[in-house]
Amino acid sequence: MTDTTVESDATPRRGALRLQTIGPVLALIALIILGASLNSNFLGYANVTNVLARSAFIGIIAIGMTFVITGGGIDLSVGSMAAFVAGVMIMTMNALIPVLGIGVPLVAAGMAVALLTGLAAGLLNGVLIAKVGIEAFIVTLGAMGVYRSLTTWLADGGTLSLNFDARSFYRPVYYDGLLGVPWPIIVFAVVAIVGEIAMRKTAYGRHCAALGANEQVARYSAVRVDAVRMSTYVLLGGLVGLATIMYVPRLGSASGSTGTLWELEAIAAVIIGGTVLKGGFGRVWGTVIGVLILSLIDNILNLASIVSPYLNGTIQGVIVILAVVLQRQGKSAD
Amino acid sequence: MTAILEARGVTRSFGPIEVLHGVDFSLVPGEIHALIGENGAGKSTMMKILGGYLAPTTGALMLDGKQVSFADQRAAEAAGILMIHQEFNLALQLTVEENLFLGREKRRGPFLDGRAMREEARTLLARLDCHVDPRRRIQDLSVPNRQMVEIARALGRQARVLIMDEPTAVLTGRETDVLLEQIERLKAQGTAILYTSHKLDEIARIADRVTVLRDGTHITTRPAEGFTEHAMAEAMVGRELSDLFPAKAKPGADVVLEVEGLTVPGYVRDASFTLRRGEVLGFAGLVGAGRTELMEGIVGLRPAQGTVRVNGTPLKPGSVRAAREAGLVYLTEDRKDKGLLLGKALTENLTLLALDTFGGVFIDPQAEDQALDQAIEEFDIRVKDRKLLAGSLSGGNQQKLLMAKTMLAKPQIVIIDEPTRGIDIGTKQQIYEFIAALAAQGKSVIVVSSELPEVIGLSSRVCVMGRGHIAAELSGAEITEDAILRRAMGVSETTGEPA
């Protein structure tokens, strides 16, 4: 091995990395400028809070997904898990109304159930993947089908609706906020900041990256690989619960089609943000940018009538592929 | 005889850095020409240029006396020049014959001609005296057999020039013998062979000519006859070499590690031994004797039954972390796949094992930087840029980084598996000094090595393993190559019969 060969190649590569890092930010800025020039309401308070609040669900999940992917895993079940959690939450709340009445205790109980259901679902994924040793893709693909079908079954093929009075009481959790900032945005921001710090500044984040980069090396370096791997899925499950808590008051119902394709949007946001799909490197703030890019595209298409909003998926898909091409180009330098 | 392949005044630069400075090198049919030098001397670059993987920046490549330039490695292959990499270029999930014909499958009409390919695969392997069923998958083969497949693949492509990058680095003595015989046979058939190895005794044994590179400069090309190993080593290092092994420290009296009746299912049965403070204990044996598995069992990387006591306290089984906390660490033989995160920076690698000592909730980046400074200083890790990725370091520097990483955990007992695999002689000497220094500081070291001189030169006591158990324990004057080999192969001293 001639060290000099590779050493000198490292320089252009890092230059390319920098472009990769900044690429999504530039894309986001370009989208904002585009949006603002197409529609004068784009940067208005109503539109901005609307976009951000809607991004919050996917965003909170995508931050958990960042840890899973960084650790070398994947979770395809989050969308149907969200539907299932929402269904369980609504049914529990409806069932508890005679006991707790309409009020804070009812909502608190609903939230606790949502969080616990999410954590339990994540734990189940984590145990099957880390302890039993089944591939993450398979486990979560299976779980995706299971939760989707369970939700449909719970709803008996229709829709599970939260009791009307409970819904009215719970609504403010989505629509109100602090100093004009809706709660979902605040929660999203807090989760993002904590996630970013955890990823970059703590041993946990370092261990996730080490695990994703090379599980053997992590194991030989006294990292508890099974525990770390499992924890990423539990964390993601918990965040799915949290996202659902924000989501249920928006519509007050859940059905078999709730959260459809959320898993793909979350994974797409993570990848756009610069996290490496096969693990080893994760960037939480990049994921936030990725989520914003995806929701802005949707928003702009809805506001401006140049391109049909039906093409939303097409544009998002192209962007995901472009993001990966960008990542690849950074690598081909060596 | 005229050269098949010749490099004239070849230089190669990467960006602003020139790593080869006007090197001449030639290969004549039916000769083994050894290329030797320390890690980073430019051997790999030279080989890659000859093999068509890299183009020379200036200078010329001559093939059969005519100037050529290879567009890529496929063009070189078409001209009969094949390079066998240290890391094999084989698809693990495919069978031997599928690998042999990968990219040049024989067809009958639109379909693969399986019978013809199997026939030819058999012939090729038979030429190498390698009796592997062509239908077996590469992943089920031993390393030396994979090596043979790799060579057979080169033969199948009518190689006139074979470039071999440290083919014996992962082989045991016996396997090396077999390989060298095959190489001699290829030579007799007229193949020109470029051979590299850090094992100078091999070079002395098979090479016809030897070229020494140092820091990208051509130092000398001489007939191997009369070029002693010592003279080769000095030409590589560029200075006089004193004793390779430092003086052995005297071990203390108290036992720090007791292993009792340790069984690693499938690999090791009922191994017991002790280690004293300040002792260097060698573990010798053939590849496959279970040395690595025993060590991995001790530190909790593999499921094992039996007891391990550190300073008298039983160790929690199955937990690398518990072992580390008890002051017992294991330095893997496989630094590329198990030791270092090649795609990560130096600091992240350095601090991974002892990460919890760097700050509380948050990692302290300054402390990490200081640790890297210290490691670079203490272990003489030669890096041009601290932000480099671990994978871009030479083998020797990677090994030093791995040692630094392990030592950050402040262990009392260090198990080092193959401390100098694939490392040049200058760095080897440094690593030997580190090991001796550890023992002198009162730490205890276990050295697992397939290189007998290393085990003998470092250890005050040697455990010899054979077929999954500790066959003998030798100390003092009993430690000789002969005694170790005999024990390792299960031959008893008095009768010469298998024990």
Side-chain angles (χ1 to χ4, degrees):
Chain A
M1 287 264 91
T2 318
D3 36 350
T4 30
T5 320
V6 204
E7 272 171 25
S8 32
D9 277 356
T11 329
R13 179 173 180 177
R14 233 175 294 129
L17 253 176
R18 232 174 281 129
L19 180 75
Q20 276 175 268
T21 318
I22 207 133
V25 180
L26 294 179
L28 182 63
I29 293 170
L31 277 175
I32 293 173
I33 294 171
L34 180 72
S37 62
L38 286 174
N39 190 314
S40 53
N41 292 328
F42 179 76
L43 288 176
Y45 168 79
N47 190 50
V48 169
T49 48
N50 179 37
V51 169
L52 288 176
R54 280 153 151 265
S55 322
F57 317 127
I58 302 282
I60 291 168
I61 294 171
I63 286 162
M65 188 70 82
T66 309
F67 283 88
V68 168
I69 292 180
T70 302
I74 191 85
D75 192 337
L76 300 172
S77 67
V78 289
S80 36
M81 195 192 287
F84 178 68
V85 172
V88 170
M89 183 184 184
I90 289 169
M91 288 178 79
T92 316
M93 285 174 76
N94 284 343
L96 285 175
I97 291 174
V99 190
L100 298 172
I102 307 285
V104 177
L106 179 70
V107 170
M111 287 179 170
V113 166
L115 270 182
L116 288 177
T117 312
L119 287 170
L123 183 68
L124 187 62
N125 278 344
V127 167
L128 289 173
I129 292 161
K131 298 283 179 196
V132 184
I134 310 172
E135 275 184 66
F137 189 93
I138 305 296
V139 169
T140 60
L141 184 68
M144 171 165 111
V146 168
Y147 294 130
R148 183 66 65 205
S149 130
L150 280 179
T151 313
T152 313
W153 176 68
L154 288 177
D156 201 16
T159 304
L160 288 163
S161 296
L162 188 57
N163 170 288
F164 186 79
D165 296 324
R167 198 189 307 183
S168 311
F169 186 80
Y170 192 7
R171 260 175 72 91
V173 171
Y174 179 78
Y175 290 97
D176 279 6
L178 207 63
L179 304 169
V181 184
W183 287 116
I185 301 178
I186 295 171
V187 173
F188 180 26
V190 170
V191 170
I193 291 166
V194 172
E196 170 71 14
I197 292 173
M199 182 67 87
R200 279 165 58 123
K201 308 252 179 197
T202 68
Y204 179 70
R206 190 72 69 83
H207 285 171
C208 286
L211 172 64
N214 186 331
E215 183 186 341
Q216 287 286 40
V217 174
R219 212 161 72 85
Y220 278 70
S221 304
V223 174
R224 295 192 187 96
V225 287
D226 288 351
V228 173
R229 171 168 293 138
M230 201 159 75
S231 74
T232 59
Y233 292 95
V234 175
L235 173 74
L236 177 53
L239 289 175
V240 169
L242 187 61
T244 311
I245 289 173
M246 300 284 125
Y247 176 80
V248 168
R250 180 166 162 238
L251 298 174
S253 65
S255 72
S257 62
T258 299
T260 312
L261 294 185
W262 279 13
E263 62 283 335
L264 293 187
E265 274 197 55
I267 293 168
V270 172
I271 301 310
I272 292 172
T275 297
V276 178
L277 181 58
K278 65 184 198 324
F281 177 78
R283 192 187 284 135
V284 172
W285 67 260
T287 299
V288 174
I289 303 272
V291 170
L292 294 180
I293 287 177
L294 291 181
S295 14
L296 276 188
I297 292 170
D298 184 39
N299 183 243
I300 289 171
L301 292 182
N302 277 313
L303 286 181
S305 43
I306 311 167
V307 184
S308 161
Y310 293 138
L311 286 174
N312 183 13
T314 309
I315 296 175
Q316 291 187 344
V318 169
I319 290 203
V320 172
I321 295 169
L322 277 180
V324 176
V325 170
L326 202 70
Q327 278 187 10
R328 276 266 297 280
Q329 273 175 350
K331 270 189 194 140
S332 62
D334 60 12
Chain B
M1 206 183 277
T2 49
I4 301 187
L5 184 63
E6 190 179 356
R8 288 190 190 158
V10 162
T11 65
R12 171 74 205 196
S13 304
F14 293 101
I17 305 158
E18 194 178 274
V19 297
L20 278 183
H21 321 290
V23 177
D24 295 328
F25 190 87
S26 68
L27 278 163
V28 182
E31 84 160 341
I32 299 174
H33 190 160
L35 182 62
I36 61 174
E38 289 190 280
N39 289 327
K43 283 178 315 212
S44 293
T45 311
M46 191 65 210
M47 282 187 281
K48 282 181 186 158
I49 288 173
L50 290 169
Y53 288 80
L54 286 175
T57 307
T58 63
L61 274 189
M62 320 286 288
L63 182 71
D64 297 318
K66 288 192 250 344
Q67 187 165 346
V68 285
S69 66
F70 300 121
D72 55 16
Q73 150 267 338
R74 293 178 69 95
E77 223 176 273
I81 302 167
L82 270 110
M83 180 159 170
I84 297 178
H85 296 264
Q86 223 170 334
E87 283 88 22
F88 302 136
N89 259 335
L90 296 171
L92 290 179
Q93 279 87 356
L94 297 188
T95 63
V96 171
E97 61 184 36
E98 282 166 340
N99 267 286
L100 288 176
F101 292 93
L102 197 60
R104 52 176 204 101
E105 290 82 0
K106 285 188 187 296
R107 279 163 221 250
R108 210 167 40 193
F111 302 111
L112 292 174
D113 188 349
R115 195 179 304 159
M117 287 197 280
R118 185 158 314 152
E119 227 23 71
E120 195 177 324
R122 285 228 166 84
T123 322
L124 284 172
L125 291 168
R127 263 175 77 186
L128 290 170
D129 213 9
C130 170
H131 306 288
V132 166
D133 187 337
R135 285 167 300 186
R136 286 182 67 187
R137 288 179 199 287
I138 298 292
Q139 61 192 4
D140 301 329
L141 298 187
S142 66
V143 172
N145 277 332
R146 291 183 194 185
Q147 185 102 45
M148 290 303 171
V149 172
E150 185 79 67
I151 296 173
R153 192 171 153 266
L155 287 180
R157 279 156 217 243
Q158 265 84 45
R160 298 160 67 207
V161 176
L162 206 53
I163 300 171
M164 307 183 86
D165 186 4
E166 289 189 45
T168 58
V170 289
L171 303 187
T172 59
R174 248 189 320 186
E175 293 159 356
T176 302
D177 287 342
V178 176
L179 179 75
L180 295 186
E181 260 172 51
Q182 311 308 339
I183 294 176
E184 296 269 12
R185 195 174 304 176
L186 288 175
K187 169 189 153 179
Q189 291 165 5
T191 313
I193 295 160
L194 188 166
Y195 188 88
T196 61
S197 174
H198 285 305
K199 297 173 186 164
L200 298 180
D201 53 333
E202 280 169 18
I203 305 282
R205 200 165 125 197
I206 66 161
D208 300 304
R209 283 197 292 164
V210 179
T211 291
V212 182
L213 288 185
R214 190 197 313 143
D215 298 329
T217 310
H218 178 261
I219 300 297
T220 177
T221 298
R222 288 178 48 180
E225 221 178 299
F227 198 5
T228 65
E229 288 175 43
H230 193 77
M232 284 184 214
E234 287 192 346
M236 281 165 58
V237 181
R239 60 183 153 88
E240 290 204 3
L241 281 173
S242 49
D243 254 353
L244 194 53
F245 297 101
K248 293 178 189 176
K250 225 183 156 61
D254 42 341
V255 170
V256 290
L257 177 71
E258 274 172 279
V259 174
E260 218 178 280
L262 199 81
T263 294
V264 180
Y267 297 99
V268 181
R269 61 201 141 79
D270 200 26
S272 303
F273 68 93
T274 58
L275 176 70
R276 281 173 292 165
R277 187 175 306 283
E279 183 178 34
V280 180
L281 173 63
F283 261 81
L286 305 177
V287 167
R291 294 166 303 169
T292 295
E293 289 79 7
L294 169 61
M295 298 309 157
E296 293 184 347
I298 292 172
V299 297
L301 282 161
R302 275 177 195 274
Q305 293 113 39
T307 47
V308 176
R309 276 189 289 270
V310 177
N311 294 321
T313 319
L315 193 64
K316 182 184 163 198
S319 168
V320 193
R321 190 165 280 247
R324 191 205 68 189
E325 274 155 17
L328 169 64
V329 293
Y330 169 71
L331 221 144
T332 172
E333 58 172 340
D334 190 351
R335 62 177 169 259
K336 290 200 159 101
D337 282 330
K338 295 174 178 161
L340 295 174
L341 297 169
L342 300 180
K344 297 262 173 207
L346 303 183
T347 33
E348 278 159 287
N349 272 291
L350 180 65
T351 58
L352 187 58
L353 180 62
L355 196 55
D356 38 10
T357 59
F358 289 87
V361 180
F362 301 118
I363 298 169
D364 179 355
Q366 274 170 350
E368 282 194 293
D369 268 346
Q370 278 170 16
L372 182 59
D373 283 334
Q374 243 174 37
I376 287 175
E377 163 89 28
E378 200 176 323
F379 290 88
D380 187 33
I381 303 171
R382 293 176 200 169
V383 284
K384 295 193 180 108
D385 180 349
R386 299 163 47 101
K387 293 202 175 73
L388 284 177
L389 304 180
S392 65
L393 299 183
S394 68
N397 281 320
Q398 285 181 356
Q399 187 70 11
K400 288 173 178 175
L401 179 64
L402 187 56
M403 287 193 81
K405 164 185 170 181
T406 310
M407 295 320 293
L408 266 187
K410 306 218 174 353
Q412 282 308 305
I413 307 163
V414 191
I415 304 174
I416 310 183
D417 201 346
E418 300 292 354
T420 63
R421 176 175 284 175
I423 284 173
D424 64 71
I425 191 148
T427 311
K428 260 186 187 178
Q429 201 177 12
Q430 283 181 313
I431 286 180
Y432 296 150
E433 273 158 21
F434 295 141
I435 292 174
L438 286 179
Q441 288 160 25
K443 301 193 191 311
S444 311
V445 186
I446 294 177
V447 174
V448 178
S449 175
S450 296
E451 290 190 35
L452 287 182
E454 189 166 286
V455 174
I456 296 167
L458 288 171
S459 331
S460 54
R461 204 153 52 93
V462 175
C463 290
V464 185
M465 284 190 79
R467 285 174 292 185
H469 68 114
I470 298 180
E473 201 186 295
L474 307 170
S475 58
E478 295 170 346
I479 310 177
T480 62
E481 288 209 21
D482 182 55
I484 294 176
L485 274 178
R486 225 172 320 109
R487 296 309 190 344
M489 293 191 286
V491 185
S492 86
E493 198 164 356
T494 44
T495 61
E497 291 292 309

